[in-house]
Amino acid sequence: YTVASSTDGRVDTLYLDGRSVNNPATIDQGYAEVEFDEPPAGGGLGGWTGSACSAINDTSSTSYGQVGSVKFAHTTAGTERLLLVGISINNNQYEYTTGVTFAGQPLTVVDSINSDNDARSEIWGLVDPPFGTDTVEITFNQTLAPLSNGVAGAISFVGVNQGSPYGASRTMLAQAPAGLTMSLWVPSTTDQLIFSVANAEEVGTLTPVAPLTDWWNLNYADTTYGAGGTRDAAADSTFVEWTLGLDDHRSMAAVALNPAACAPVGTPRLSSEANQTFVVGDPSFAAVVDTIADDATTPTITDAANLRLRIPAGFNMIWDTTVTTVSIGGAASAKVETALLPYEDGGLTLVLDVNTDFLAGDRRRPPLHGLHRRLGGRQPRPRGEQRRRGLGHR
């Protein structure tokens, strides 16, 4: 990959063989932390969205009882950031949220819905939230009364349009009896990502219907069930649905997110099973498993072109050129040789020998080895495993 620096000390973009995959990194005086999207099959956060535009950075959540405010930690990273907070309240005395902050900065209401005094759902948002780990604080109009409680979660994204982050939003509510599902349609386009927050009273379970994926799903004392989830958007409108274990009061809200930009058709994708950190002065090391996936509709990785992972000349790091073989996995593993071709550009470019053209969506997964810092012969090492979060897009 290529790491392209920006003026603010962060790395804005990674390139796979010249094609932008926009994975950010942070460069400090002593180390560089490169944060990747996690592969689709790897579980956990991230996974490339089918729209190949916006992606999830991190999530956090909590449940709460009779309190006047709620605090919990959350982490943001990457570029073109958006933070959303989903709030689910069983508001027995018609309680509601009066304010949400992250790192002291206020969020604004995106949408909300109240199912009488039984199930209130709210979405709050902040464009370009402060970078790093800080506190989400939610304040209610009063201390929640007995029988009032709830669930809250935060989810941060990268690759979101900073000037116009939101597309259409929709809400729904229902009082029992209303069946064992709740759903709505959100006007959308295929480059958008849909976020939904759901809330139900004493239903036993609250389950997203695929392709919706829940990033938090909690309950407080088996009373309030709250969840937040995402799915890729469809053309014209997107169906969002949750199922309930029991028939009771429920509400939900959903909003479409506008991408900052989308990758052109024919763009491969680069991802990693974990963040990777390189520290000046330490020896080279075996990097964690990285995944390269060809475009889902228009493949471009070919026998003639091979695969090149590039480090920019100004980054002062090189591959460990003593490494001449890699382990290959994934559906396309037989299409890539384990023996590396000669390094190029003075060790800045690692070349993988492709022996067969990739098909649309083909993946190969090599553990890529040994980046070196070239200044003064000092070399980097892992700075320690970071909390899992997927940074990616396009």
Side-chain angles (χ1 to χ4, degrees):
Y1 51 86
T2 296
V3 186
S5 299
S6 67
T7 57
D8 65 0
R10 295 180 188 142
V11 171
D12 283 333
T13 307
L14 297 182
Y15 292 89
L16 173 58
D17 215 5
R19 298 179 179 89
S20 170
V21 293
N22 199 55
N23 281 355
T26 301
I27 301 178
D28 233 312
Q29 291 182 347
Y31 68 95
E33 176 183 311
V34 183
E35 298 172 338
F36 298 83
D37 184 40
E38 297 178 23
L45 291 180
W48 294 100
T49 66
S51 61
C53 296
S54 304
I56 299 163
N57 155 233
D58 196 17
T59 69
S60 53
S61 58
T62 189
S63 60
Y64 50 88
Q66 288 68 58
V67 296
S69 64
V70 178
K71 296 181 180 181
F72 57 96
H74 184 73
T75 299
T76 65
T79 58
E80 299 165 329
R81 299 185 297 277
L82 174 70
L83 171 65
L84 294 181
V85 173
I87 302 170
S88 306
I89 313 172
N90 183 348
N91 56 336
N92 189 56
Q93 295 298 314
Y94 297 95
E95 298 94 331
Y96 57 90
T97 304
T98 57
V100 181
T101 62
F102 176 69
Q105 294 195 15
L107 282 69
T108 58
V109 177
V110 178
D111 215 334
S112 64
I113 185 70
N114 208 64
S115 182
D116 195 35
N117 66 336
D118 297 302
R120 180 174 177 84
S121 295
E122 304 176 356
I123 301 175
W124 294 66
L126 176 61
V127 177
D128 193 27
F131 189 97
T133 300
D134 217 301
T135 301
V136 173
E137 182 172 7
I138 301 168
T139 303
F140 304 112
N141 66 313
Q142 65 182 58
T143 299
L144 299 186
L147 303 180
S148 296
N149 47 61
V151 170
I155 182 167
S156 46
F157 301 85
V158 294
V160 176
N161 189 307
Q162 300 294 281
S164 179
Y166 309 119
S169 64
R170 292 290 186 270
T171 60
M172 69 80 62
L173 63 88
Q175 296 284 317
L180 298 180
T181 65
M182 59 176 165
S183 62
L184 51 74
W185 289 88
V186 181
S188 61
T189 57
T190 56
D191 61 348
Q192 292 178 318
L193 188 66
I194 305 296
F195 170 72
S196 171
V197 61
N199 184 6
E201 180 185 34
E202 298 180 348
V203 294
T205 60
L206 183 58
T207 305
V209 177
L212 184 68
T213 298
D214 57 347
W215 298 107
W216 66 84
N217 199 324
L218 303 174
N219 75 83
Y220 184 87
D222 294 322
T223 302
T224 301
Y225 287 75
T230 60
R231 62 156 293 176
D232 296 324
D236 299 324
S237 62
T238 302
F239 188 62
V240 182
E241 184 177 23
W242 300 82
T243 62
L244 290 64
L246 299 169
D247 186 358
D248 213 323
H249 312 308
R250 79 288 305 268
S251 69
M252 64 182 289
V255 61
L257 305 181
N258 295 325
C262 283
V265 173
T267 302
R269 299 170 181 177
L270 176 67
S271 58
S272 173
E273 284 192 343
N275 297 334
Q276 301 179 50
T277 301
F278 311 109
V279 179
V280 174
D282 290 341
S284 64
F285 65 95
V288 300
V289 174
D290 292 305
T291 297
I292 295 172
D294 211 341
D295 188 83
T297 58
T298 307
T300 59
I301 300 174
T302 66
D303 179 15
N306 293 318
L307 276 170
R308 287 171 170 80
L309 302 181
R310 296 190 176 104
I311 303 168
F315 200 57
N316 289 320
M317 300 179 78
I318 62 172
W319 293 102
D320 183 347
T321 56
T322 65
V323 175
T324 57
T325 61
V326 292
S327 301
I328 304 292
S333 59
K335 299 180 180 182
V336 181
E337 300 292 339
T338 58
L340 297 174
L341 293 174
Y343 290 86
E344 299 175 352
D345 307 317
L348 293 175
T349 301
L350 179 148
V351 185
L352 291 157
D353 184 6
V354 178
N355 58 43
T356 305
D357 293 355
F358 276 41
L359 302 176
D362 266 355
R363 297 176 188 164
R364 31 80 59 206
R365 305 182 70 195
L368 300 173
H369 300 277
L371 282 170
H372 290 261
R373 180 95 181 198
R374 293 183 294 154
L375 292 177
R378 296 177 297 177
Q379 302 170 339
R381 68 165 171 82
R383 188 180 170 85
E385 185 175 350
Q386 308 294 314
R387 182 160 69 142
R388 286 180 21 149
R389 52 186 186 270
L391 286 180
H393 129 144
R394 333 213 219 319

